[in-house]
């Protein structure tokens, strides 16, 4: 990952922070794209691009172009931006389905579309999306989330076919991620069986590396420690 230019969406979340830390340790040059406002000043190996609504195509274009203007190129895009909501169909509302579609599916679509020309020019371009194991078979209350993440899975497969030989496109499908928020919401769960952000970051960054050139169109389950 040394000197590879990597754009990470949703960089301020629990998984985003883990990926940022691991990528920086491996020598990557980072463009951190987030809905939250940028806090740091641009540096040679790090730029924060804040206040971005990736559900809007123009905003996604603006973020990617800012990254390319800073570094001169883009080698990998990691689409982490997303959200979760537990809601049954009968007791829920349509607005939640629309919100999760925008935050989970459209963010990945728009960021990927904006990045494609630059990733193609890289010669070793990578797109890594965050899907979900829970989207392979949805349970009660998982409808809005599973539907939006299923969209991410199909987007991954479609892009992999369309960009074959130019850019690799893969998705990781985590089970429950061991974050403070999930521990708070599920206090009786077995935390030792959950996948940590750091474990997930290692898989993501392998897929973002030149060494992963033979892997594309994969939906990779990441289900926890053994």
């Amino acid at each position: 990952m040394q000197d590879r230019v990597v754009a990470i969406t949703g960089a301020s979340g629990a998984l985003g922070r883990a990926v940022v830390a691991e990528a920086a340790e491996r020598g990557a040059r980072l463009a951190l794209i987030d809905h939250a406002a940028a806090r740091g000043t641009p540096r040679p190996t790090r730029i924060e691009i804040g206040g971005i609504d990736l559900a809007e195509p123009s905003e996604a274009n603006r973020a990617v172009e800012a990254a390319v203007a800073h570094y001169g190129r883009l080698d990998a895009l990691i689409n982490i931006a997303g959200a979760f909501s537990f809601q049954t169909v009968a007791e829920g509302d349509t607005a939640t389905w629309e919100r999760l579609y925008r935050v989970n599916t459209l963010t990945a679509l728009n960021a990927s579309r904006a990045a494609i020309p630059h990733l193609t020019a890289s010669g070793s371009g990578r797109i890594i999306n965050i899907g979900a194991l829970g989207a392979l078979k949805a349970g009660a209350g998982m409808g809005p989330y599973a539907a939006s993440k299923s969209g991410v899975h199909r987007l991954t497969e479609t892009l992999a076919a369309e960009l074959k030989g130019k850019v690799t496109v893969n998705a990781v499908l985590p089970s429950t991620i061991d974050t403070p928020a999930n521990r708070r919401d599920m206090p009786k769960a077995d935390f030792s069986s959950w996948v940590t952000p750091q474990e997930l970051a290692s898989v993501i960054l392998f897929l973002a590396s030149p060494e992963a050139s033979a892997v594309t169109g994969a939906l990779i389950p990441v289900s926890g420690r053994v």
Side-chain angles (χ1 to χ4, degrees):
M1 295 298 293
Q2 186 68 40
D3 293 328
R4 280 178 68 78
V5 177
V6 181
I8 302 170
T9 75
S12 68
L15 177 57
R17 292 194 302 272
V19 173
V20 168
E22 181 68 19
E25 186 173 327
R26 298 187 188 195
R29 295 190 283 172
L30 304 176
L32 311 183
I33 302 171
D34 210 280
H35 192 269
R39 294 178 294 179
T41 57
R43 305 199 298 265
T45 59
R46 182 185 179 111
I47 181 174
E48 296 183 18
I49 306 165
I52 298 295
D53 181 1
L54 290 170
E56 298 296 332
S58 62
E59 291 283 286
N61 287 333
R62 180 164 69 88
V64 169
E65 291 306 319
V68 173
H70 186 71
Y71 291 116
R73 72 174 200 271
L74 183 63
D75 299 309
L77 170 67
I78 302 173
N79 285 312
I80 298 177
F84 174 79
S85 182
F86 183 91
Q87 189 178 92
T88 64
V89 173
E91 297 174 351
D93 56 71
T94 302
T96 298
W97 289 74
E98 293 174 338
R99 179 175 65 86
L100 292 190
Y101 175 71
R102 285 179 60 83
V103 175
N104 290 332
T105 314
L106 287 186
T107 57
L109 168 64
N110 292 334
S112 297
R113 182 183 283 146
I116 284 170
H118 307 290
L119 296 173
T120 300
S122 163
S124 58
R126 307 280 185 263
I127 297 174
I128 302 90
N129 295 321
I130 309 300
L133 271 181
L136 296 180
K137 181 175 177 59
M142 294 291 287
Y145 180 74
S148 64
K149 286 297 188 178
S150 292
V152 174
H153 298 177
R154 304 292 82 80
L155 171 66
T156 300
E157 294 166 337
T158 296
L159 280 175
E162 293 175 354
L163 299 176
K164 188 173 179 61
K166 301 176 182 178
V167 177
T168 67
V169 188
N170 297 287
V172 296
L173 281 55
S175 57
T176 305
I177 304 175
D178 190 358
T179 66
N182 284 336
R183 287 190 177 217
R184 182 182 64 246
D185 293 342
M186 294 173 274
K188 296 182 179 180
D190 177 10
F191 305 148
S192 67
S193 67
W194 292 356
V195 62
T196 69
Q198 291 74 25
E199 290 169 327
L200 193 52
S202 294
V203 178
I204 290 169
L205 290 175
F206 166 71
L207 294 172
S209 72
E211 289 74 20
S213 60
V215 184
T216 194
L219 306 178
I220 302 173
V222 186
S223 59
R225 300 187 288 281
V226 295

